[in-house]
Every structure is written in C-alpha cells, then in structure tokens.
Amino acid sequence: MLKLGVNIDHAATLREARYRGLGHGEPDPVEAALICEAAGAHGITAHLREDRRHIQDRDLWKLREVVRTRLNMEMANAPEIVEIALKVKPDIVCLVPERRQEVTTEGGLDVAGNEAALTDTRKRLNDRGIEVSLFIAPDPAQVEAAARTGSQFIELHTGAFAEHFGEAAGRVREVARLMAAARQAHQAGLQVNAGHGLNYQNLAGLLQLPHLVELNIGHSILCRSLVTGLDAAVREMLALMRDY
Ligand code: PXP
C-alpha cells in the first residue's frame, strides 16, 4: 500500500504569522499531527529549519513524544540541526537543501557535489537508529550518488512535475524523468518516496510511478482542510454568539 506522510509545517507557518516568539499559539502543529494520524496518515513530516520560520524546537520534541506512526524530520545537513536530530531521534531524517530566501524547499540536494558530507551524516544518523532519505531531483547522477551514500531512501522531488502538470508535453516529460529515476533507485537498492507540490488534481498523474513507498504532502492537504473545515468553524462561532 502506498503510504502518506503529512507535512504539517504550514500549520506552524500560520501560527508564527500571529504568535512568533510567544512560545504558544494556534494552530498547533502537534494537534494537526494527531488529527492526521487519527485520519489514517502513515507518518508525520516536520521541517526544522535553521531560521525556525515555522516549526520550532519545542514542536519537534512534542511531536517525538506523541507521534505513534513515523516521524520524518526534514532538515538541512547543518551541524546544529544534525545534533538536534541525533537527540530527538525521529524515525527517519530527510536531508533537504535549504536556502534562506526560498519560500519553501525549491530544489533537490546536490548529492553528487556533497557526497562525503552527506555520507558522514548518513552514518551518524544510522548509528543512532535513524533511517536516512535524500531529497533529490529525478536526475540519474543524483540517484547514483544517493546510492553511494548508503542512504535507505530517496525522496524524488516532484516540484517540476507539479509545475508542468498543466501542459501535456511538460507533464509527459516530467513523469518520464520520475519513472526512470524511480526504476534506477529501486535497482540500486534504494526505497523511493516522493513529494513536493502534490495536490488533489495532479496526484493521479503520479500514481503511475513504480516502486513508490510513501508520498509526502503538506500544502495542499492543509489548504483543503481550510476549505472543508471553514463551514463548521463559522457555524461554531455563530453558535457562541447566538444568545446575545
Ligand atoms: N517533501 C519535501 C522534501 C519538502 O521539503 C516538502 C515541503 O516543501 C514536501 C515534501 C511537501 O511539499 P508540499 O507542501 O508542497 O506538499
């Protein structure tokens, strides 16, 4: 069965927009994680960024405490964050590139160019019982390098697929790249996840990929919950006002 990991970063983004620096506030990404698990999600993904723009350290510790499925910690291969991961002990770490100005994680890791450093971090995490995934573009050289690092997983970056989904030629090209990368990774002994930009419209196009273990989806699920939950939220507020 194809698994779903829900990325709950955007709950924290919304909280930080109002409560940054206060150590509390809504929505609580931990509460969001529990709802996702209760709904059947197979894992919870949270990205502790160096700039702490959404998930905070306290969120990560709390998630470790309450998540009963699998906690996937996304992070840059940065010394401070690696130390935190070794202490928190998520089930799996997904190493991602992190450029300070980006709105979200825009490109895949350059594994080929950072093989020694990534291999070193992979070993340290594995030694603590944490599995390792590398977030990469569907590029043969990156898949090859990812296998050489000894990582257990790759997460194929589906951003280009999502971006070109609306045009037939682009969609066919990106699906072909993803399929080739998934096959290559599988042959190299890597397990294959995928994510970024997947939504309720483009998902069907991705399901033709072979060897998929898990999809990591965040933004579209959080957006969808806003739409599907708004009706109930307004009714609840009106009920509180009724006796005036
Ligand atoms: N996978 C990785 C490695 C990510 O960094 C992200 C968030 O940018 C996602 C999956 C989820 O992407 P989205 O929020 O677009 O669903």
Side-chain angles (χ1 to χ4, degrees):
M1 183 186 42
L2 182 57
K3 294 180 183 163
L4 171 65
V6 182
N7 180 320
I8 43 93
D9 293 348
H10 292 296
T13 302
L14 200 54
R15 178 193 60 196
E16 296 302 301
R18 169 64 63 101
Y19 295 97
R20 172 163 291 284
L22 294 183
H24 65 87
E26 63 176 3
D28 178 5
V30 177
E31 191 183 0
L34 293 174
I35 294 170
C36 295
E37 278 196 327
H42 304 93
I44 299 299
T45 298
H47 184 169
L48 186 71
R49 299 182 62 104
E50 287 181 86
D51 62 13
R52 308 300 200 273
R53 81 171 54 147
H54 37 55
I55 293 291
Q56 306 297 310
D57 298 55
R58 69 176 190 280
D59 297 322
L60 192 65
W61 283 102
K62 191 72 187 163
L63 286 167
R64 178 63 297 175
E65 210 179 298
V66 303
V67 165
R68 289 285 163 264
T69 53
R70 264 162 76 80
L71 179 61
N72 173 22
M73 178 179 173
E74 273 181 23
M75 53 180 253
N77 186 23
E80 182 218 353
I81 307 290
V82 172
E83 291 309 319
I84 293 171
L86 291 167
K87 290 192 190 105
V88 171
K89 281 192 76 182
D91 299 280
I92 179 165
V93 155
C94 181
L95 293 168
V96 301
E98 208 174 276
R99 275 166 282 126
R100 298 300 170 113
Q101 296 313 313
E102 73 200 3
V103 177
T104 174
T105 310
E106 293 300 353
L109 270 178
D110 179 14
V111 185
N114 296 281
E115 208 176 303
L118 290 167
T119 303
D120 182 58
T121 299
R122 192 279 299 160
K123 282 185 186 148
R124 295 182 68 204
L125 292 165
N126 280 173
D127 285 348
R128 285 284 284 163
I130 305 165
E131 290 191 297
V132 173
S133 179
L134 303 178
F135 183 52
I136 58 170
D139 169 344
Q142 298 298 343
V143 176
E144 225 177 284
R148 284 196 302 267
T149 66
S151 298
Q152 287 71 47
F153 286 83
I154 55 165
E155 179 169 326
L156 288 173
H157 194 318
T158 51
F161 159 78
E163 194 181 324
H164 296 285
F165 186 73
E167 10 132 7
R171 179 169 66 233
V172 169
R173 182 189 66 235
E174 294 306 326
V175 168
R177 288 179 68 207
L178 288 163
M179 286 178 96
R183 286 203 187 93
Q184 183 191 352
H186 178 73
Q187 271 169 14
L190 289 156
Q191 298 189 71
V192 182
N193 296 336
H196 196 87
L198 297 178
N199 60 34
Y200 294 82
Q201 287 73 45
N202 64 28
L203 182 80
L206 198 84
L207 297 181
Q208 43 190 319
L209 257 66
H211 311 303
L212 284 177
V213 175
E214 181 172 280
L215 300 180
N216 276 309
I217 307 180
H219 189 261
S220 68
I221 292 179
L222 269 290
C223 290
R224 184 90 186 125
S225 72
L226 192 65
V227 172
T228 56
L230 202 48
D231 179 273
V234 170
R235 287 173 197 281
E236 219 177 292
M237 189 58 80
L238 285 170
L240 292 175
M241 295 161 60
R242 199 164 291 145
D243 292 337
Y244 178 73

